Each structure stands twice: as structure tokens, then as C-alpha cells.
Amino acid sequence: MGKLINIDNGGTLTDVCVIDGNQVYRAKTLTTPHDLSRCFFDGLTKASRAIYGKEDLIGLITSTDHIRYSTTQGTNALVERKGPRLGLIVTGTMTVDSLKKDPRQAELFDALVGSRVASLDLKLTGSDLEIAAVRAVNTLSSAGANRVIVAHGGSDRAEEETRVKNLLLRKFPQHLLGAVPILYSHEVVADEDDVRRTWTALFNAFLHPAMERFLYNAEHKLRANKAQKPLLIFRNDGNSARVAKTIALKTYSSGPRGGMEGSRAMAAHYNFKHLLTMDVGGTTTDIGEVREGNVRADSRGQVEGVPVSFPLSDIHSVGVGGSSIIKVVDGKIKVGPQSVGSAPGPACFGLGGTEATITDAFLVLGLLDPESFFGGDLKLDTERARNVIQERVAKPMNLSVEAAAEAMEKAWVEKVASSLKEFTTPDKEAVLAAFGGAGPFVVCKVAEAAGISRVLIPGLAAVFSAFGLGFSDIGHTYEAPLRGRDSKALKAVSEELQDQATRGMYAEGFDIKDCEVESHLLVQGKTIDERRPLANGSLPSDLPKDALLSVSLSSTRRIPHPTLKGAFGGKKVEAVSGAKRKVGGKDLPLYRVEEQKAGASAAGPAVLEEAYFTGRIDAGWKFEINNSGDILLSRG
């Protein structure tokens, strides 16, 4: 078996995790938003040095079976509203008002589409219909639309949208259609809910251009470097697929889903019944949950509160991270949601940043070592951190720099902890998994504020979402509406989906006979939204008369996963501290994770540090490091 490479591209940092049998190598590099392929290959090159002791990019790539990639760039583009100007043509019963029923939908619609809307009456025939259709496209393109979506309301959506498609293909020259793509909602997903399907098509059209340019460029460069297999995109449903077989919306929030796949594996390995997760990156904190081995998810997910047609993990993203801007507003400290990202980054990075962040605060308080941060690859500038905190926080609040840094920490902790409590109610069995580069910083304080007494810091915490991609397989899910309520209709749609799955897996390089195939009946009504297994080829007898019915078929090809090992609660040894660190004016013992034996344990207050993360262990807490390098913190 060859190597497995997982890459998680975030707004501030890009993480690389290389799995070679039982050995795991990791690398981190600053994200280069102006050219994502640069940080992609910088990370691979850095990983090759860790493996071979020298740069050998081609050697790494040619010895690898699969490269899986996830990115938050689509999510960030939507958050920042940076994307194409969309135009919308509505037909049938579809109306703009139905897409703007609540304030969240209205705000998003105004940001993505605005007034670029046209209505097309499909009762027209002949030249009248042709003239109306051409006028609609010309009106939208003249208004600035560079992508047009056609959405029909009604059960005949596929037929009517196809009729419009054939008409427009005849009337417009190919070069114009290439400049202004015209997309059709039924080709994105076969969802009976017209509003949800239209929103899904709008989101997908908005995210597609940036994702397409980068991903195909990255795949081309991989082939130039002798890659044997196509780049796989990790999706928000927990599986991976080729670039050409993945729609853009499936990349939304895919990075956090990688962390959830890793958390599910960890929860099963350590028998944690309730694992609450806190993935703290540079820009956001992504909060999720695993209960009884299941990742908390919605059968029909939401994007910024707007329902879409695909399943999505129920992950709560909060605008607070290691690079979140902290400032004083109306006499109070405000944390995020704006972030300085990696360019220019926190002031202490010395790359031109002029805003205060929690990273600057932890440097001033002494928690971070300016020489060892980021594995020693990024030297921090304490003086710049002090100056920016003085200017942005201390002076407006009439505090010393140190007092201002402590106030910044308190506000940062309160925002993260309150978000955890809003997301779920921690019970006695709850364990908080803290990962991401900023996850372990002051996790004891966060856990206390959230009422949690146990914390898991994975040994690969700094690259845990990238590591979690390794638990995904190659798979696709297909869906189609059920046209009748009898075995004949069920058989027809099942055969149609089976054919799609056969072709889809063949395109991935696999025979459907070597894949796991599962079918489900999707039942949606006013008071019901269920997903029922279809095992015997017959419909249940208790279906509501007014429910919309669809059939979903998933095909999965299993590929190798990482092997977890390690246990807690065995023989303990005294952790070894070879130095002290002055944090908040107090000398605390410093424990380097890499220097500890299996079972190493000690009590706080202390500082726990490894190459890519630093955590403060507060008084009343103790830690245990097992033979996998995973760390369990316990209170009391």
C-alpha cells in the first residue's frame, strides 16, 4: 500500500498530513490566498523534507495512492460575498418572494442576486417564447450577471427547464454561452422542494468559479509532477471524489467535516459517548458533536441558515480564532468576526498586521515562545504585539498592556464557551475535543466556562482536520423523486439510480460490484422529514398521503484508513519538565510533548507544548499523555 496524503486548506494555514502505514508525518504552511496552488505545493514540499530529510516532491507524489483535499475557500467566499454576480430566470410557480421568506434568505438573495431577476412565461409558444427567453438572458447579462440560473416551479421542472435549455442553445452562439454560463436547477439536484432546490443551485453557481479554477489547476500540476491518480476532493458528506465528479457546494464546510470524521473515529476508539468538538483555526471556531458514534448532521443541511438539498454536518462556525481582530467598541472588548488571516496576519507575525489578536495577547502574556512558535519556522515579534495591544485595546480602556492582554483572553474565552453552550448542553459524560492550531491555547478555561471536566487534545491536534480526511472513502450519493407509490415506480427509480451509480463509480476507476450500495427512502411533509432504509424493495405502508417521496442511493468504495492506538488510565509516570516559562508573571513548568514517555502525567499550573500547539494547564487540572501522543486533561 502506498502513502495517503490529506491536505486541509484554511483561511490562515494549510495543513498537510501524510500517512505511511503506522507512521504519520505532518507539515503546516501559511495559506497564500492570491495563489492557492502555491501553499498546496509548499505544504507537499515541506512534508517531503520531513519524510526524506530533503526536498523530494516527485518522490512523495509517485509513492502516494491517494491525495485528498479539503478547503474553506468556498465557505470564506460566501461569508465575504466574494463571487460571481448571479442572474435568475424563474418559470412556472417559482417566484422571487418564495426565495425571500425570512430575513436570512432576503439578505443572502440581495447579496448574491439582487435585482438581476427575470420571469419567463412558458405558456408562450413559438417565436413569442423565443423572443421572451432571449430578452430575459440579455436583460440579466446587461445588468451585470455573469452566471444565470434557470429555476422552474412545478413537478415538470426537468422537462420545462430542458425545453428552455434547448431553446437557448439554439438562439445563442456558443461563445456567448461560454462567457455567461446558463445553469439549470434540476441538473444540480433532483429535489421535489422547488425553493430548496433553487437555493442549492444559486449557492452552487456562486461557489463554482473560484473552486473550478484552483482545483483543476492543482490537478494539472500534480500530473506534471507524475501523480498516478487524480486529486480527490473531500466533501461535506464525509466522502471523497474526483474534481470532475464533485459539485462546488459539496466543498462548503468540508474542512470542519474532516475534523468531525476524525472525532468520530476518536470517540469510538476511546469509547466516549458524548464528544463535543472545538476546532479553533485562524479565522473561525467550528463546533460539532458526536453522540453514540454519530456525527450530528441534518438530512437537509443549511448554508448560513438557508436550507439546501444536500445533507450537511450540523457544525456551528463562530467568528473567533487565533487571528480574529480584537478591538474596543463602546468601551467593551469585541472579538471578531473579522480576521487578519495569514496576510498580513497578527501584528506579531511581522508581516504588516496592524490589528490586535489573541495570538498577540498570548505572546505578551508569555504563553507563546517567540522562537519556537510554528515549529520555529515563524519568529514572533513581541514588541509589535505590545505596541498594537497598547494602541488598539490598552489605551482606549485605560489599562496597562498586560492587563489589556488578560482582558482580551477573558473576552475570547467567553465567546468560545458561550458558543459551545448555545450549540448543545454538555452532560456529565461530555468530553471536549480541542484541536486546530489555537484549540489548546486556554482550553481549561473554556471547558470550565462550559461546565466540562474532561478535555481531549489529539496528538495531531494542529493538523487534526487534515488527519480526519483519512477516514473518508470514495463515494457518491444520487437522488430522484418517486413518481408513484407502488413497487413499479420504486423499481424504475431504483434502476435509474443504480445506473447512475455504476457510471459514477466507473469514472472513479471502480466496478460497482466492488462497492457498498445502500438505498433510502426520503420522506418529507409538513411535520415529517425522515430517511428510511429500503432493504426489501418495497415501500412502507405508513407513509403520509401528502408527503414528498424521493429515493436516495449511495455507492461507496472503501480505501485504507489510519489505525488508531493508545489508551488512557494505564501505568503513569511523572512527566519531565526541562524548563520553565513565565506566564502572566509566574514561572510555570514547561512540558514538551515530544519528550514525554507513555503515561506521562502532571498537574497544573503548567505549560504543555509541542511543535505546532501550546496549551496552558490551569490549577485544578492534570494531564496524561498516552502512547499515541493523545492527551487527556481532567479537572478535580
Side-chain angles (χ1 to χ4, degrees):
M1 185 185 77
K3 299 180 180 67
L4 302 172
I5 296 177
N6 305 324
I7 303 173
D8 179 32
N9 168 239
T12 302
L13 297 171
T14 294
D15 302 337
V16 179
C17 188
V18 181
I19 302 167
D20 187 6
N22 292 326
Q23 184 69 41
V24 179
Y25 302 92
R26 60 188 177 155
K28 295 177 79 73
T29 187
L30 291 174
T31 294
T32 49
H34 60 284
D35 180 5
L36 292 178
S37 64
R38 179 177 173 182
C39 56
F40 183 97
F41 284 94
D42 282 351
L44 289 176
T45 301
K46 195 171 181 180
S48 75
R49 287 201 301 268
I51 296 170
Y52 304 117
K54 62 178 181 179
E55 292 185 8
D56 188 357
L57 181 60
I58 291 180
L60 174 59
I61 290 174
T62 55
S63 64
T64 295
D65 279 349
H66 299 289
I67 300 178
R68 283 170 284 201
Y69 178 84
S70 73
T71 178
T72 62
Q73 297 309 314
T75 308
N76 294 345
L78 192 56
V79 168
E80 297 174 21
R81 308 293 190 257
K82 292 181 179 178
R85 296 181 297 276
L86 303 182
L88 176 64
I89 297 176
V90 294
T91 66
T93 60
M94 176 56 62
T95 65
V96 172
D97 288 343
S98 66
L99 297 168
K100 302 171 67 174
K101 285 185 176 179
D102 64 50
R104 290 172 299 186
Q105 289 179 323
E107 188 277 326
L108 263 174
F109 191 91
D110 291 343
L112 273 56
V113 183
S115 61
R116 296 182 294 273
V117 181
S119 179
L120 182 60
D121 184 2
L122 295 185
K123 293 179 181 178
L124 298 173
T125 59
S127 60
D128 290 338
L129 179 60
E130 292 181 352
I131 291 170
V134 170
R135 182 182 296 122
V137 173
N138 286 339
T139 298
L140 296 179
S141 58
S142 297
N146 44 34
R147 282 190 163 244
V148 174
I149 296 90
V150 176
H152 179 81
S155 60
D156 55 348
R157 68 190 68 83
E159 295 82 0
E160 293 292 29
E161 288 184 10
T162 300
R163 185 157 69 100
V164 174
K165 179 179 181 179
N166 292 335
L167 185 158
L168 292 176
L169 283 173
R170 291 196 308 270
K171 300 303 294 183
F172 282 87
Q174 191 63 41
H175 73 274
L176 180 57
L177 285 178
V180 183
I182 302 178
L183 312 166
Y184 302 85
S185 72
H186 80 280
E187 294 182 344
V188 177
V189 63
D191 185 357
E192 290 278 87
D193 188 306
D194 292 328
V195 171
R196 190 169 59 202
R197 186 187 66 257
T198 301
W199 267 113
T200 302
L202 289 170
F203 284 134
N204 192 66
F206 186 82
L207 296 174
H208 186 270
M211 301 305 303
E212 178 186 43
R213 284 193 301 271
F214 162 64
L215 292 175
Y216 278 110
N217 184 37
E219 187 168 51
H220 176 74
K221 289 184 177 180
L222 281 171
R223 288 176 178 169
N225 282 280
K226 314 299 182 184
Q228 305 299 305
K229 294 184 179 179
L231 176 66
L232 295 176
I233 306 306
F234 178 77
R235 305 187 312 245
N236 51 31
D237 59 9
N239 275 329
S240 300
R242 290 176 52 199
V243 176
K245 303 295 292 181
T246 299
I247 69 169
L249 184 54
K250 288 282 189 176
T251 70
Y252 178 83
S253 199
S254 64
R257 178 62 191 247
M260 296 311 301
E261 290 301 308
S263 297
R264 171 161 51 187
M266 283 280 195
H269 179 72
Y270 290 118
N271 196 29
F272 293 147
K273 302 298 183 184
H274 184 194
L275 188 65
L276 189 60
T277 66
M278 182 181 82
D279 178 4
V280 189
T283 304
T284 61
T285 292
D286 298 311
I287 298 168
E289 189 173 31
V290 179
R291 279 187 184 268
E292 301 295 339
N294 297 310
V295 174
R296 179 166 157 178
D298 296 317
S299 59
R300 303 289 188 179
Q302 294 191 353
V303 173
E304 295 199 15
V306 176
V308 294
S309 302
F310 299 118
L312 280 176
S313 292
D314 186 2
I315 295 174
H316 182 45
S317 293
V318 188
V320 52
S323 297
S324 296
I325 295 172
I326 301 179
K327 56 188 175 182
V328 178
V329 178
D330 297 329
K332 296 181 179 180
I333 292 180
K334 182 174 184 291
V335 182
Q338 297 81 13
S339 171
V340 294
S342 62
C348 61
F349 281 14
L351 301 175
T354 58
E355 302 287 351
T357 70
I358 198 65
T359 304
D360 297 303
F362 288 143
L363 179 61
V364 165
L365 291 173
L367 178 60
L368 299 179
D369 178 6
E371 299 299 321
S372 65
F373 184 79
F374 204 55
D377 290 343
L378 184 60
K379 308 300 181 185
L380 300 184
D381 190 326
T382 305
E383 195 59 33
R384 287 178 184 268
R386 293 186 64 85
N387 290 341
V388 76
I389 291 175
Q390 169 66 27
E391 184 66 26
R392 302 294 187 183
V393 182
K395 187 185 294 184
M397 298 192 72
N398 195 27
L399 296 172
S400 68
V401 170
E402 286 74 16
E406 290 175 353
M408 291 166 67
E409 177 191 313
K410 182 179 180 182
W412 193 86
V413 166
E414 286 178 351
K415 184 166 184 177
V416 176
S418 63
S419 300
L420 286 169
K421 290 187 289 185
E422 288 171 7
F423 182 73
T424 191
T425 301
D427 52 31
K428 292 182 179 180
E429 289 189 326
V431 178
L432 176 61
F435 49 89
F441 271 157
V442 284
V443 68
C444 294
K445 279 286 186 286
V446 172
E448 287 179 12
I452 299 172
S453 58
R454 288 190 298 168
V455 172
L456 174 69
I457 302 176
L460 294 167
V463 295
F464 190 70
S465 287
F467 177 67
L469 307 187
F471 294 94
S472 72
D473 296 300
I474 298 174
H476 290 284
T477 298
Y478 304 91
E479 181 183 329
L482 191 62
R483 297 302 187 187
R485 295 197 172 210
D486 53 32
S487 57
K488 183 179 179 180
L490 178 60
K491 181 181 179 182
V493 73
S494 297
E495 289 177 349
E496 174 189 339
L497 295 175
Q498 182 75 20
D499 288 343
Q500 291 182 39
T502 299
R503 293 193 300 269
M505 296 312 294
Y506 179 79
E508 299 287 356
F510 304 110
D511 191 311
I512 193 67
K513 295 177 182 177
D514 299 323
C515 302
E516 297 176 8
V517 179
E518 292 182 346
S519 295
H520 289 84
L521 180 68
L522 307 182
V523 184
Q524 181 191 344
K526 293 181 179 179
T527 60
I528 188 172
D529 189 356
E530 293 182 348
R531 180 184 177 89
R532 302 186 186 182
L534 277 174
N536 56 7
S538 61
L539 293 172
S541 59
D542 59 342
L543 294 173
K545 292 183 179 180
D546 60 344
L548 296 175
L549 304 179
S550 298
V551 176
S552 170
L553 183 144
S554 62
S555 54
T556 306
R557 179 64 164 87
R558 302 295 178 190
I559 58 177
H561 292 181
T563 301
L564 298 178
K565 58 181 182 178
F568 294 110
K571 182 180 179 181
K572 293 183 175 60
V573 298
E574 189 68 25
V576 177
S577 172
K580 290 186 179 295
R581 182 167 296 172
K582 188 178 287 295
V583 181
K586 299 179 181 179
D587 284 328
L588 303 182
L590 173 66
Y591 296 96
R592 296 287 307 176
V593 176
E594 298 90 339
E595 297 173 358
Q596 307 304 319
K597 295 180 180 180
S601 179
V607 175
L608 194 62
E609 187 172 76
E610 62 106 70
Y612 291 116
F613 74 74
T614 302
R616 190 182 69 216
I617 312 301
D618 292 327
W621 289 80
K622 59 183 178 181
F623 68 82
E624 177 189 349
I625 304 175
N626 68 16
N627 57 327
S628 289
D630 297 330
I631 305 163
L632 185 66
L633 310 183
S634 304
R635 184 184 181 198

